[in-house]
Amino acid sequence: MTMRDAANDLDERRLVNAVSAAVSSVKKRLAGTVRDNAVWDDAYAAARSGNADWIKDNWGAVSTDYPLYDGVVVLAPDGRQVAAYLKGKPIDAAALFGPELVRRSLVASKRENVRTLLDLHQINQGIVVMATLGIRPTNDPDIDKAHYTLTFFKTLTSTYIDGISEEFQIRALRIQPEPDPKQSWRLITNYQGEPLGYFVWPKSDPGTAVYNTALPKLQALGSLLFVIVVIVVFSFRIALKKESMLARQAIHDATHDHLTGLHNRAGMLAAISRAPTEAILHLIDLDGFKGVNDVWGHAAGDRLLRAVADTLRMTTPKALAIGRFGGDEFALLHAGEHDPSGIGNAIVRALGQPFLIDAHHVEIGASIGYASVVKSKDALETVHRADLALYCAKDAGRGQVQSYTAELDEQRKSLFVLEDKLRAAIDRDEIGVVFQPLVCTLTGRTRGVEALARWSPRTGPVSPAVFIPLAEKSGLIERLSMKVLEAALTALAKLPKLDLSVNISPMQLANPRFVFEIETALEKHGVAAGRLILEVTEGALISHPERACRSMTALRAKGVRFAMDDFGSGHASIGTLRQFAFDKVKIDRSLIASDEHAVVRATIDLANALGIPVTAEGIETTEQAAFAREAGCELLQGYLLGRPMSFDQLLAHMAGPEQQALWA
Ligand code: C2E
Ligand code: MG
Ligand code: MG
């Protein structure tokens, strides 16, 4: 639009200039004609002599249809009319032009005035351009004091204006008494500046024309641009949306468990951090999940985990967050207004129901520990506390719900302290070994000994029931057991007739280096492999059966024997004995101490029937000894036959007579 207005303005100025140029061209032309006719000896003579015929022939007749002028006036120096014609007809010039004509002529008549006077004038016929000059001879202009004057005039008729219009390229130029606001115009004045009329011509507005031609294209272009912008913005928004969706997906993936769709550990920790102060965290550990995985395969295990997740969602619809911490451990966060132990028990009940997985009824259970969210510390502290409670719940047996208490924390802390002490004790060789005799029921002689670890720091002895599980939890058990084995082998090398029983923990059997370590130790101390009996509890066989079997087979090939320890206290069955081809079985103290004689007898009979000799543990009374012997046990072990003792005490014990006396 600025361009349009600028173009219009430019054109307007050009036309105004053209009109001015046209007017001055008309004036100049007329001035030239007057000069040619006034400065002329014949004209001078004719005017002076008052030769009206000459004037009529040369000027009056010419005005009839001469393009350069259509009127002529000749005045005497005193202003008297000598002759006047308009279009060839005589006229009264004073009447037509008024006194002004005479006044102008008097100016022009002055001898010294050699310039043509030009003016515009309004007469009845319209506006006329007039040019006046004194009539004088060509070579002697100062003959007279004043001149006769010659005035030519030309009426600006519409035909004449049309000619100008064409000559100066001003379309439809005309003269009007008033301007037209919708058209272009230029004021016409006389030499005194009085308005006579207006040149008027239509606005051509080339800018507007260009603008109007270009506008639809510009609009189309604008629309196109708009469409492009809309498309760009739209696709940008789609891309942005996609991007943010991907980002949201990534965050979701990072905080959720792939398998169950529940939160993962990271997601759960974040939820705990956001949780209100009174919120409670339950940690749920499945009992017997490993068995399902081992027996039915991982696919079934995965389905079971998904089923458990669904059960948790259904049981606790108001939970703030439900998560899986990996493996078979689940977590549940809920606002504190509910009864936490009630929720725990409801979950235990729900997970105690059999699950239908691949057409199998699978029964598992759950142990639960819970703790209040600790706002002052980070989320891990809450998890630690619930974990501690869970540990405690699992220790108490299956299907328990345990709350975190400050005492548990104390225990945990003192356990940390104890663990450090135990590590130092192992490093400094402060773990001692005692030996407990294994006595033959036939001869009453000590056939072998069981090496048992002892730890007596300055603060007082710590029970193996405490430090062995602690060593197992903290990964110290392998080094501890090897120290016991080394010490026992050193001692037993001096008593070549005795078998040596050593306890090994589940983790050791699973270690691929175990076989090599045992062989190296036997070689180093020069003890025959046939004298070594390794006592294994069922834990090893449950957690890594294949690896345990591999180690056992390799060692058995060297002559090492294996005894199933604490038989009857857990789940190990006669089947387990056969599967792993145990050489011996030790019946647990609890079974011997009970009065379920028939069960004990049947157990011993079964083992014997499989060709596996039986040792009875925890024999404290002569009655127990007599029963075990009569029931078919090969070996007896217990306080009655000898408490765990130092090597020196063992030497004395072996030399003493009391063992034979028992059978006497
Ligand atoms: P275990 O292998 O069943 O060892 C027998 C436990 O019964 C010993 O307890 C022994 O002192 C105790 N005992 C023996 N006769 C009697 C009796 O007549 N009455 C009673 N009430 N108890 C009797 P201890 O020494 O406290 O060891 C506990 C458990 O610690 C052992 O059970 C064994 O599983 C583990 N253990 C001990 N030393 C080691 C070791 O060096 N390595 C590993 N891995 N485990 C060890
Ligand atoms: Mg043992
Ligand atoms: Mg035992």
Side-chain angles (χ1 to χ4, degrees), residues 413-614:
K413 280 182 193 139
S414 62
L415 265 182
F416 279 145
V417 173
L418 201 66
E419 188 185 311
D420 279 347
K421 275 198 197 164
L422 179 62
R423 184 173 288 115
I426 294 169
D427 288 344
R428 293 198 293 257
D429 271 332
E430 285 170 10
I431 301 296
V433 190
V434 291
F435 302 93
Q436 188 174 30
L438 290 158
V439 176
C440 177
T441 46
L442 292 177
T443 61
R445 284 181 177 278
T446 300
R447 275 262 293 278
V449 286
E450 178 176 0
L452 294 161
R454 287 295 177 264
W455 181 30
S456 302
R458 265 192 293 278
T459 43
V462 181
S463 160
V466 173
F467 75 81
I468 294 293
L470 180 64
E472 276 172 344
K473 263 181 225 165
S474 52
L476 294 167
I477 191 67
E478 303 196 35
R479 284 178 55 217
L480 185 144
S481 289
M482 284 317 285
K483 294 239 163 183
V484 170
L485 178 72
E486 294 263 350
L489 286 175
T490 312
L492 263 282
K494 295 167 197 157
L495 291 171
K497 286 198 180 129
L498 291 184
D499 285 345
L500 173 63
S501 293
V502 177
N503 296 285
I504 56 169
S505 81
M507 257 176 256
Q508 286 176 280
L509 259 194
N511 186 346
R513 282 185 56 80
F514 179 63
V515 176
F516 172 76
E517 282 171 6
I518 294 286
E519 282 172 7
T520 317
L522 285 172
E523 246 169 65
K524 180 177 161 195
H525 295 278
V527 175
R531 288 177 64 196
L532 184 63
I533 298 160
L534 296 179
E535 297 194 359
V536 184
T537 52
E538 60 173 316
L541 314 172
I542 287 175
S543 57
H544 295 288
E546 313 85 19
R547 289 200 219 163
C549 204
R550 216 174 299 141
S551 297
M552 286 170 77
T553 312
L555 283 170
R556 197 175 288 117
K558 304 280 169 194
V560 176
R561 285 170 292 168
F562 285 88
M564 162 115 262
D565 205 352
D566 303 341
F567 190 76
S569 68
H571 299 278
S573 64
I574 297 287
T576 320
L577 289 180
R578 289 184 59 189
Q579 188 191 345
F580 293 92
F582 275 102
D583 303 282
K584 288 170 176 292
V585 58
K586 296 181 79 171
I587 292 193
D588 193 63
R589 197 166 70 228
S590 59
L591 219 64
I592 298 293
S594 74
D595 23 80
E596 295 184 72
H597 292 271
V599 175
V600 179
R601 210 185 288 272
T603 307
I604 295 167
D605 283 349
L606 262 169
N608 282 336
L610 288 167
I612 304 172
V614 179

Side-chain angles (χ1 to χ4, degrees), residues 321-332:
I322 307 177
R324 185 167 80 106
F325 271 18
D328 58 353
E329 197 170 304
F330 289 83
L332 176 79

Side-chain angles (χ1 to χ4, degrees), residues 191-524:
Y191 85 104
Q192 283 167 318
E194 288 159 1
L196 303 177
Y198 294 86
F199 279 117
V200 176
W201 66 96
K203 284 181 194 283
S204 68
D205 284 353
T208 306
V210 170
Y211 176 82
N212 288 342
T213 322
L215 191 62
K217 285 177 194 148
L218 277 177
Q219 278 170 340
L221 213 68
S223 315
L224 193 72
L225 201 72
F226 178 75
V227 168
I228 289 173
V229 166
V230 165
I231 289 173
V232 166
V233 167
F234 202 68
S235 33
F236 192 71
R237 279 191 52 174
I238 289 178
L240 212 70
K241 224 171 170 178
K242 217 157 113 187
E243 198 82 342
S244 76
M245 234 164 67
L246 281 176
R248 243 178 292 147
Q249 183 65 42
I251 292 172
H252 183 273
D253 287 353
T255 53
H256 284 77
D257 173 39
H258 213 60
L259 182 67
T260 57
L262 300 177
H263 284 92
N264 62 12
R265 193 180 170 86
M268 212 58 202
L269 287 176
I272 294 168
S273 304
R274 288 193 303 263
T277 330
E278 335 76 62
I280 304 276
L281 175 72
H282 281 82
L283 285 186
I284 303 147
D285 192 82
L286 301 186
D287 297 326
F289 172 72
K290 258 206 77 59
V292 174
N293 235 356
D294 291 347
V295 174
W296 305 111
H298 285 278
D302 286 354
R303 267 189 282 276
L304 177 59
L305 290 175
R306 277 198 285 264
V308 167
D310 290 342
T311 306
L312 288 179
R313 284 192 192 102
M314 275 177 336
T315 319
T316 56
K318 283 188 184 159
L320 298 176
I322 307 177
R324 185 167 80 106
F325 271 18
D328 58 353
E329 197 170 304
F330 289 83
L332 176 79
L333 186 72
H334 60 82
E337 71 257 27
H338 307 288
D339 152 37
S341 101
I343 287 181
N345 285 319
I347 295 169
V348 165
R349 267 197 306 280
L351 296 181
Q353 303 298 316
F355 287 88
L356 190 66
I357 307 287
D358 297 346
H360 304 299
H361 283 279
V362 175
E363 274 189 56
I364 51 164
S367 304
I368 297 180
Y370 64 88
S372 302
V373 167
V374 193
K375 271 275 133 184
S376 56
K377 299 204 177 119
D378 78 320
L380 276 176
E381 176 61 23
T382 309
V383 177
H384 273 311
R385 292 186 177 187
D387 215 23
L388 215 58
L390 176 61
Y391 237 89
C392 198
K394 283 206 279 194
D395 262 5
R398 292 169 160 231
Q400 299 295 313
V401 179
Q402 172 73 52
S403 166
Y404 165 82
T405 60
E407 294 87 71
L408 287 180
D409 219 19
E410 282 309 310
Q411 276 173 26
R412 169 174 70 156
K413 280 182 193 139
S414 62
L415 265 182
F416 279 145
V417 173
L418 201 66
E419 188 185 311
D420 279 347
K421 275 198 197 164
L422 179 62
R423 184 173 288 115
I426 294 169
D427 288 344
R428 293 198 293 257
D429 271 332
E430 285 170 10
I431 301 296
V433 190
V434 291
F435 302 93
Q436 188 174 30
L438 290 158
V439 176
C440 177
T441 46
L442 292 177
T443 61
R445 284 181 177 278
T446 300
R447 275 262 293 278
V449 286
E450 178 176 0
L452 294 161
R454 287 295 177 264
W455 181 30
S456 302
R458 265 192 293 278
T459 43
V462 181
S463 160
V466 173
F467 75 81
I468 294 293
L470 180 64
E472 276 172 344
K473 263 181 225 165
S474 52
L476 294 167
I477 191 67
E478 303 196 35
R479 284 178 55 217
L480 185 144
S481 289
M482 284 317 285
K483 294 239 163 183
V484 170
L485 178 72
E486 294 263 350
L489 286 175
T490 312
L492 263 282
K494 295 167 197 157
L495 291 171
K497 286 198 180 129
L498 291 184
D499 285 345
L500 173 63
S501 293
V502 177
N503 296 285
I504 56 169
S505 81
M507 257 176 256
Q508 286 176 280
L509 259 194
N511 186 346
R513 282 185 56 80
F514 179 63
V515 176
F516 172 76
E517 282 171 6
I518 294 286
E519 282 172 7
T520 317
L522 285 172
E523 246 169 65
K524 180 177 161 195

